[in-house]
Amino acid sequence: KWCIWEFTETNLTSCYFSQCPPRNDVSEAEVALKNDKLCQAHTMLKEKGYKINPREARNYEKRGYSTYESSIWPKPEHCLKPPHGNDKKWVPYKKDKIPPYVTKLFNEKYGLAFLLIHKVASTSLPGYLSCRYGKWHQATMEVEKGDKRVVAAVRDPLDRFVSAMGEVLQRAVNYYCIDHYCNENDHFFLNETLSKLNTQTSWYSLLNNPSWSSPELLPDLIQAV
């Protein structure tokens, strides 16, 4: 069990929760090296003035490691307040845990666990993997099988950002999700989702300008994102 961690700036200067998710397919030395790099990154962010955000969730206390959605993860000052200054409408946009619709694949024959990452061919890769390696079993990220080698695809971060922003705008402007109009299965609830975007982001309000996609205004939108 993880001990209760007092939520103070003094305690949060340590790297107690600056750890990668536990894995059984890499050595302890490699895990320690990765954790040390993450600790150094968090320390650098704090030195730049990044702060914790008490508004966000604290599930990391039970889980044992933090993610970007965790309150303990250092963030720039403008992320600590609602973008439009309305405290009453502020709610965490993402929970501090892996959504159930984010899954991974297990292949018993080859002893593999493949992590599906959004905007890294997560829609097309399952079909290729099934064709190349046979049957895969899909499960939530919480499911662990320690005897499997973990594999994932990677993508250039800037390319991934551009691709993700294009999809976000499709959903926010046209209510279109990849190949169909968004619905509850996409976790898209029209009025509720748009209200969250309006009160929780720094960019959605810019879409009220009919010329938001013009060469003159598009840079402001990208900067706000």
Side-chain angles (χ1 to χ4, degrees):
K1 295 182 179 179
W2 295 97
C3 61
I4 299 300
W5 195 253
E6 186 179 356
F7 198 76
T8 65
E9 280 283 357
T10 301
N11 283 340
L12 295 178
T13 56
S14 72
C15 288
Y16 189 84
F17 293 105
S18 298
Q19 302 183 45
C20 298
R23 292 175 58 177
N24 297 317
D25 63 323
V26 295
S27 66
E28 292 184 5
E30 186 174 352
V31 170
L33 179 62
K34 293 179 182 296
N35 289 344
D36 183 60
K37 288 183 178 180
L38 184 58
C39 178
Q40 292 180 35
H42 281 188
T43 300
M44 180 185 68
L45 291 176
K46 293 170 186 175
E47 290 174 349
K48 290 180 63 176
Y50 283 34
K51 303 291 185 180
I52 61 171
N53 191 352
R55 296 173 180 273
E56 296 174 313
R58 297 169 58 181
N59 291 354
Y60 63 87
E61 292 179 340
K62 296 180 179 179
R63 187 174 58 230
Y65 62 90
S66 60
T67 66
Y68 189 80
E69 284 75 25
S70 304
S71 54
I72 198 175
W73 195 286
K75 300 179 182 68
E77 186 175 357
H78 66 264
C79 291
L80 307 184
K81 301 176 181 179
H84 306 296
N86 193 335
D87 285 3
K88 294 182 179 180
K89 290 187 177 181
W90 196 97
V91 293
Y93 193 71
K94 277 187 173 292
K95 297 181 179 179
D96 183 21
K97 62 180 181 180
I98 302 174
Y101 54 83
V102 177
T103 59
K104 57 186 173 184
L105 304 173
F106 289 112
N107 185 297
E108 301 296 337
K109 180 179 179 180
Y110 293 96
L112 298 174
F114 191 91
L115 307 184
L116 295 172
I117 302 174
H118 287 330
K119 308 315 297 178
V120 188
S122 60
T123 302
S124 57
L125 273 174
Y128 165 76
L129 293 172
S130 296
C131 180
R132 179 67 177 81
Y133 297 101
K135 186 176 181 181
W136 293 74
H137 169 68
Q138 194 167 20
T140 62
M141 283 292 184
E142 284 79 6
V143 175
E144 294 291 343
K145 293 188 177 183
D147 59 335
K148 300 293 186 293
R149 178 178 294 276
V150 179
V151 183
V154 295
R155 183 178 184 179
D156 178 83
L158 291 179
D159 286 347
R160 185 171 180 241
F161 170 80
V162 171
S163 177
M165 198 57 225
E167 183 172 332
V168 168
L169 287 173
Q170 274 279 35
R171 295 178 182 230
V173 177
N174 300 321
Y175 316 146
Y176 202 74
C177 293
I178 303 179
D179 58 359
H180 61 276
Y181 284 101
C182 302
N183 55 52
E184 294 183 2
N185 293 329
D186 304 297
H187 300 270
F188 185 92
F189 308 93
L190 185 59
N191 292 333
E192 178 183 346
T193 299
L194 297 184
S195 177
K196 284 185 176 181
L197 288 174
N198 189 49
T199 58
Q200 304 250 117
T201 72
S202 56
W203 56 267
Y204 184 77
S205 61
L206 300 179
L207 301 182
N208 292 328
N209 189 324
S211 302
W212 66 266
S213 61
S214 66
E216 294 78 20
L217 298 181
L218 189 58
D220 293 336
L221 176 63
I222 299 301
Q223 184 176 9
V225 172

